[in-house]
Amino acid sequence: MACPDPLDAGPGHLRHTMLDQDALNETRTPAVGQILADLSEDPRLVHVHHQAARSARYGSIPNDLPEAIHGALPHDKLWSHQTSTIETIRRGRSVAITTGTASGKSLCFQVPVMEQVLSGGTALLIYPTKALAQDQLMSMSRWGVPGVVAAAYDGDCSPQERAWVRAHANAVFTNPEMLHNSILASGHQWAAFLRSVKIVVVDELHALRGVFGSNVAHVLRRLRRSILHHGGQEPVFVFTSATIGEPTALASDLAGIPVQVSDDDGSPSGPRSIAIWNPALAT
């Protein structure tokens, strides 16, 4: 029975809606455990792995964070991998963050980025798409920390907007193409910003492979040379990634520097079942 359109609701609408809900309840998708049990004798189900639920583990928030950042933290406790990664970055070590989805990877670099900005430095945050950069820009802006001037620098910016970003922003969100074609190609216009870069964030590490990854590697090495050329110091690189094999090797190859991994996920997780399905060959 099709659910009636709420816009066309008339007499009996509520009764029909309740009947439809009962019908949906009767056809509700069975639990994963039941599905796996029903398929236990099927030769196409070659392996099932069950992961138990995982409780959250917490770490200590650094006491010496600037008050503006400490007071803006969204939670009074941080997960253990967040606090350990923040401390790794604060110690000047480059890192690849590969904890799970929804584990708060962004907070791991947002805190040290804002700390460096408040101390007079700048930060460059590189995303493969404009949409991701805009999403992360909104995320950092929601902190509302005075003195942090975050802005996007992409193909949608007008010449006037680009000039404003160069003159005022201390945390710039961009993509590899704009970094190559505009920022590094006009290094004299970005000299003050590049000289002060302390942290470079590179998102979606797992996507930086093949020809695209090779191109990005050249751009990141140009960025390092440009920072040094304008009187700056080697920045800390922070890579974020979905789970991949050897993330530190890929990150090190891209930037040409040693990178350590942050993969000890302290966020909570419910139980999970992983099934490997090997379909029959098509005839």
Side-chain angles (χ1 to χ4, degrees):
M1 181 183 298
C3 294
D5 189 338
L7 297 177
D8 297 329
H13 166 65
L14 179 59
R15 177 174 59 83
H16 287 301
T17 302
M18 293 175 64
L19 289 173
D20 291 335
Q21 187 61 53
D22 290 339
L24 288 173
N25 289 338
E26 292 175 0
T27 59
R28 184 174 294 162
T29 303
V32 172
Q34 183 60 53
I35 294 175
L36 294 177
D38 294 342
L39 295 173
S40 60
E41 301 301 324
D42 194 314
R44 292 171 295 180
L45 183 64
V46 296
H47 182 72
V48 178
H49 176 71
H50 299 286
Q51 293 181 345
R54 182 181 66 219
S55 299
R57 290 181 286 119
Y58 297 98
S60 300
I61 299 175
N63 294 323
D64 57 343
L65 282 178
E67 181 57 35
I69 297 176
H70 201 287
L73 285 171
H75 310 288
D76 57 357
K77 292 190 295 185
L78 298 182
W79 290 321
S80 57
H81 69 276
Q82 292 177 318
T83 56
S84 63
T85 305
I86 289 170
E87 282 301 319
T88 297
I89 299 170
R90 295 179 83 203
R91 289 195 296 267
R93 299 176 183 173
S94 296
V95 62
I97 311 169
T98 62
T99 52
T101 303
S103 62
K105 288 191 284 287
S106 295
L107 187 145
C108 294
F109 62 77
Q110 287 174 343
V111 168
V113 160
M114 289 186 289
E115 182 180 24
Q116 288 292 345
V117 163
L118 293 182
S119 65
T122 60
L124 192 62
L125 300 96
I126 305 167
Y127 296 85
T129 66
K130 291 186 290 186
L132 279 172
Q134 290 288 345
D135 179 71
Q136 286 296 312
L137 171 59
M138 288 189 292
S139 174
M140 183 173 289
S141 298
R142 282 194 291 267
W143 285 74
V145 176
V148 176
V149 183
Y153 191 86
D154 56 33
D156 291 337
C157 293
S158 67
Q160 294 77 17
E161 290 170 332
R162 296 186 185 192
W164 187 93
V165 172
R166 288 194 300 268
H168 300 286
N170 47 30
V172 172
F173 292 71
T174 190
N175 54 67
E177 289 78 9
M178 289 298 292
L179 178 60
H180 167 67
N181 288 318
S182 185
I183 297 176
L184 296 179
S186 305
H188 61 286
Q189 294 180 318
W190 287 88
F193 181 92
L194 291 170
R195 184 165 51 247
S196 302
V197 170
K198 304 301 181 185
I199 297 180
V200 177
V201 176
V202 182
D203 192 31
E204 302 289 309
L205 169 65
H206 53 278
L208 303 180
R209 300 185 181 190
V211 174
F212 179 51
S214 177
N215 289 338
V216 172
H218 286 295
V219 172
L220 293 181
R221 291 161 192 251
R222 280 182 59 208
L223 172 62
R224 290 177 53 213
R225 290 196 300 271
S226 185
I227 291 171
L228 296 176
H229 172 75
H230 290 290
Q233 298 179 342
E234 282 279 4
V236 174
F237 278 80
V238 181
F239 296 87
T240 66
S241 177
T243 303
I244 57 173
E246 299 295 335
T248 55
L250 177 57
S252 297
D253 287 344
L254 283 167
I257 56 174
V259 178
Q260 65 184 72
V261 69
S262 173
D263 60 359
D264 187 14
D265 197 336
S267 64
S269 175
R272 182 178 303 172
S273 295
I274 302 171
I276 299 178
W277 183 261
N278 186 21
L281 293 174
T283 56

